[in-house]
Amino acid sequence: MASSTDTLAEQIDTMSTQTIVYTSQKHGSDENGDGSEGKPFKTPLQNKWELLSKAQSKKVKTLYEVEKRKEKAAAERKEKERPQRQKNIEEARKVIITEDTSLPTAKAHKIKALQNQHGERVKVFGWVHRIRRRGKNFMFVVLRDENIFFIVQCQTYDAITLSSEATICVYGVVRPIPEGQTAPGNQELVADYFEVIGHSPPDGADTLLNEEFHPDIQLDNRHMMLRGENISKILRLRSIVTQCFRDHYFDRGYYETFPPTLVQTQVKGGSTLFCLDYFGEPAYLTQSSQFYLETACPALGDVFCITQSYRAQLGRTRRHLAEYTHVEAECAFISFDDLLDRIEDLIVDVVDRVLKHPEAHLVFEVNPGFKARKRPLRRMNYSDGIEWLTENGIKNEETGRFYEFGECIPVMPERKMIDQINEPILFCRFPAELKSFYMQRDPKDSRLVESVDVLMPGVGKIAGGSMRMTDFEDLSESFRENGLKTESYYWYLDQRKYGTFPHGGYGLGLDRFMKWLTKRHHIRDVCFYPRFVGRCKP
């Protein structure tokens, strides 16, 4: 059967007289395409239609011819070695080895717990990796020539068919590494016996994917990419960061709540809602738990939640997700300045807790240049931001004019500002028309609302918050002005009818926080299984 490389090379051969070759990442196929506009190739990998020049066509053809020759040589070599390998396998099946019972009984331990087991015989479960990796979840296994028992075991069927990603249990003695050498955790396991728990194909996962593959292919195989060193470190760090958020809130006297994710009301805007049928009634996946948290304040006081939120935004950028982890809090009887202080305290304290964690080394392993931010964080009003853009010559690209008060500051000029200032900013007091209908007006300037966006260098906005409207009539009118039926929000408006009180809160995107902490280029790199436009698998 011809390989995909053969097929594509033959297809390119038949097109040597054509001047144009069409490719499309979205609609093309390297197996079934013929390079015409109706049946384009998939490569070169692009997100739009591309025209392939004669020179490019020749280069692609040459590359595939080289790959074809490599495939042929590898196949011939494999076929030549097949009889001897089969013979070795049959001989290996005859070698049966069992654990040496004269040795001390091995106790099972996690790799990261072996620092306290030096000199003891242990057994460790894990997956085989051919390259040396760093971190407390990796162990360097040493096979000593003087261990005749182990040399014999290496001739068994399990040993000669062992491949990367196979699951094994290794027995041996843990000890510090010899002086002048390096290994994960500065220790090694001198093995005396092993057993295979689960085999892996001969080439392991190497043929399935690698770091050079296109991101979509890597995401299709996310379940295997998770085993990579960097991704596993980021996910462990994400777990620690989430714990530190909870520790912060509990230490400050908050109660955790668990709001519903299936709702029949909206918080942000109808165009970003995922709609579904809920037993014959329309319902949505929540955009935010804010409204529900507000109802908890009279019962519990200061509250928070860490849960999933959903936005049906069609934009596919490196900082947007359709499903993301939302850290939200609502605080009773506070002022706007109190709210800013609490947000500042949250960010600084969580980072401090992460850096004091026993596995804080993960931060610097994935982001060597990370520096913690100290109080106070910079605060800037929207009006000052408009002046800063003018003073630094940043104009509206569409109009060619400088930004004026009342205009929305788009992502790019906002990013230029935050990256040039190069420190976190609490960006405050926006014009009411630019923010949500439930935000409290600034008592000193009714044109503004008491709102804040938290901007981080390299990421942009990671959080947003405000004081909430407290007057029943004002909030009801704001609902109507925004085309929302007050009847659907009776339970929310009741908070103003039955004992209203000053309160405010915020929502922070954990994924964006992680993007900033780890300095990742794309937000999908800090997620377990990212969900965004066109991506809902695996």
Side-chain angles (χ1 to χ4, degrees):
M1 181 180 292
S3 67
S4 60
T5 300
D6 293 330
T7 304
L8 186 55
E10 290 167 5
Q11 290 169 339
I12 294 175
D13 266 334
T14 64
M15 300 183 60
S16 59
T17 60
Q18 294 187 14
T19 58
I20 296 176
V21 177
Y22 289 89
T23 69
S24 171
Q25 166 66 14
K26 184 175 181 180
H27 303 287
S29 170
D30 287 340
E31 288 75 19
N32 302 316
D34 59 12
S36 65
E37 186 173 2
K39 297 179 66 178
F41 287 134
K42 191 181 182 75
T43 55
L45 293 172
Q46 301 291 336
N47 289 321
K48 59 182 180 180
W49 290 99
E50 291 287 330
L51 299 182
L52 199 62
S53 67
K54 284 185 177 181
Q56 290 175 314
S57 179
K58 183 177 180 181
K59 183 177 180 180
V60 172
K61 177 182 176 182
T62 301
L63 288 173
Y64 273 94
E65 286 177 345
V66 170
E67 291 300 318
K68 182 179 177 180
R69 288 195 295 270
K70 286 182 180 179
E71 280 186 0
K72 183 178 179 182
E76 290 175 349
R77 183 170 61 254
K78 191 173 183 179
E79 190 63 30
K80 184 177 180 180
E81 296 172 352
R82 186 187 302 275
Q84 183 60 45
R85 176 168 177 77
Q86 192 60 38
K87 180 179 179 182
N88 293 342
I89 290 176
E90 293 305 320
E91 290 296 323
R93 290 183 186 277
K94 301 175 184 178
V95 181
I96 305 298
I97 301 293
T98 58
E99 182 186 0
D100 186 349
T101 56
S102 67
L103 296 173
T105 301
K107 295 182 179 179
H109 288 281
K110 300 282 188 181
I111 291 177
K112 63 182 181 181
L114 292 179
Q115 289 286 352
N116 299 322
Q117 309 301 324
H118 287 183
E120 298 184 17
R121 188 167 182 265
V122 301
K123 64 178 180 180
V124 179
F125 297 90
W127 287 263
V128 175
H129 298 296
R130 290 176 179 170
I131 61 174
R132 182 176 294 193
R133 299 185 175 185
R134 299 172 296 171
K136 290 188 176 182
N137 282 12
F138 296 100
M139 169 60 66
F140 187 46
V141 177
V142 181
L143 314 181
R144 291 300 181 196
D145 290 343
E146 64 268 19
N147 191 332
I148 303 300
F149 177 83
F150 207 97
I151 291 174
V152 173
Q153 188 182 5
C154 286
Q155 306 305 313
T156 64
Y157 172 81
D158 280 346
I160 66 174
T161 58
L162 192 64
S163 297
S164 64
E165 301 306 330
T167 319
I168 61 173
C169 178
V170 182
Y171 297 69
V173 177
V174 185
R175 70 180 189 185
I177 59 173
E179 187 176 350
Q181 296 186 16
T182 59
N186 295 317
Q187 60 185 351
E188 60 186 15
L189 177 63
V190 182
D192 57 60
Y193 178 70
F194 79 91
E195 52 188 346
V196 176
I197 308 300
H199 274 288
S200 180
D203 293 322
D206 297 340
T207 57
L208 190 63
L209 77 166
N210 60 51
E211 293 183 356
E212 302 301 320
F213 279 27
H214 188 269
D216 281 337
I217 297 176
Q218 293 184 11
L219 288 169
D220 285 342
N221 294 280
R222 184 71 173 175
H223 56 293
M224 297 304 299
M225 288 294 292
L226 294 176
R227 301 186 182 192
E229 183 177 4
N230 283 332
I231 295 180
S232 64
K233 285 180 179 178
I234 290 172
L235 291 181
R236 291 202 298 275
L237 182 58
R238 183 181 173 119
S239 173
I240 293 167
V241 169
T242 306
Q243 174 192 337
C244 290
F245 270 105
R246 282 196 166 92
D247 290 344
H248 166 86
Y249 284 122
F250 289 134
D251 183 69
R252 300 302 194 264
Y254 289 68
Y255 286 98
E256 184 170 12
T257 59
F258 304 89
T261 54
L262 289 171
V263 301
Q264 291 187 308
T265 54
Q266 65 186 58
V267 178
K268 302 300 180 183
S271 63
T272 63
L273 287 165
F274 283 108
C275 185
L276 53 91
D277 181 272
Y278 186 73
F279 301 111
E281 292 185 315
Y284 312 99
L285 295 178
T286 186
Q287 303 162 306
S288 168
S289 298
Q290 173 198 323
F291 285 5
Y292 292 95
L293 287 178
E294 288 187 52
T295 68
C297 285
L300 303 175
D302 296 340
V303 292
F304 80 97
C305 69
I306 301 178
T307 188
Q308 301 304 96
S309 288
Y310 305 84
R311 298 282 176 85
Q313 293 171 308
L314 293 177
R316 182 170 175 170
T317 75
R318 59 189 179 93
R319 67 190 195 99
H320 280 99
L321 294 166
E323 176 188 33
Y324 61 98
T325 303
H326 216 169
V327 180
E328 299 184 84
E330 288 293 323
C331 311
F333 299 103
I334 62 170
S335 67
F336 184 52
D337 286 336
D338 293 333
L339 177 65
L340 299 181
D341 290 341
R342 292 198 181 200
I343 293 174
E344 177 181 274
D345 181 46
L346 173 75
I347 294 170
V348 175
D349 183 60
V350 166
V351 171
D352 186 55
R353 289 174 185 271
V354 171
L355 296 181
K356 290 178 180 178
H357 191 276
E359 294 188 76
H361 58 88
L362 292 171
V363 175
F364 302 101
E365 288 176 14
V366 299
N367 182 9
F370 179 77
K371 293 182 181 179
R373 303 291 179 171
K374 302 297 182 183
R375 295 183 181 88
L377 299 183
R378 182 167 181 163
R379 300 181 185 186
M380 177 187 289
N381 287 333
Y382 163 87
S383 56
D384 297 325
I386 292 292
E387 291 181 9
W388 189 96
L389 294 175
T390 300
E391 292 170 357
N392 287 269
I394 299 175
K395 298 181 179 180
N396 187 318
E397 293 183 356
E398 294 183 1
T399 65
R401 298 182 295 100
F402 287 111
Y403 289 96
E404 298 179 355
F405 183 90
E407 290 184 318
C408 177
I409 302 176
V411 173
M412 288 310 296
E414 183 181 83
R415 287 284 299 276
K416 288 179 181 179
M417 179 177 71
I418 185 65
D419 289 347
Q420 188 168 327
I421 293 174
N422 196 31
E423 60 178 296
I425 296 177
L426 301 182
F427 204 35
C428 309
R429 298 180 175 87
F430 289 79
E433 295 75 14
L434 302 181
K435 287 298 181 179
S436 297
F437 63 89
Y438 51 76
M439 294 185 177
Q440 182 70 36
R441 296 277 178 160
D442 188 331
K444 296 180 180 179
D445 188 342
S446 61
R447 299 175 303 165
L448 309 177
V449 288
E450 293 183 319
S451 59
V452 57
D453 286 350
V454 182
L455 309 179
M456 285 292 188
V459 180
K461 181 179 176 180
I462 68 165
S466 76
M467 296 298 291
R468 319 307 192 188
M469 277 190 181
T470 57
D471 184 80
F472 175 82
E473 294 299 335
D474 288 345
L475 184 56
S476 298
E477 180 60 28
S478 186
F479 270 106
R480 288 189 286 267
E481 288 177 354
N482 284 271
L484 299 174
K485 296 181 179 180
T486 56
E487 293 81 1
S488 300
Y489 295 85
Y490 72 92
W491 53 275
Y492 182 68
L493 288 166
D494 276 353
Q495 305 304 308
R496 279 71 178 174
K497 182 185 294 185
Y498 297 94
T500 190
F501 60 99
H503 63 286
Y506 55 85
L508 179 146
L510 180 64
D511 308 275
R512 289 190 183 181
F513 186 90
M514 286 297 302
K515 185 178 184 294
W516 166 69
L517 184 68
T518 61
K519 203 176 181 179
R520 297 297 98 175
H521 176 73
H522 204 294
I523 198 167
R524 66 180 173 229
D525 296 332
V526 300
C527 301
F528 188 27
Y529 284 92
R531 295 291 184 255
F532 49 87
V533 176
R535 171 62 53 183
C536 197
K537 67 176 183 181

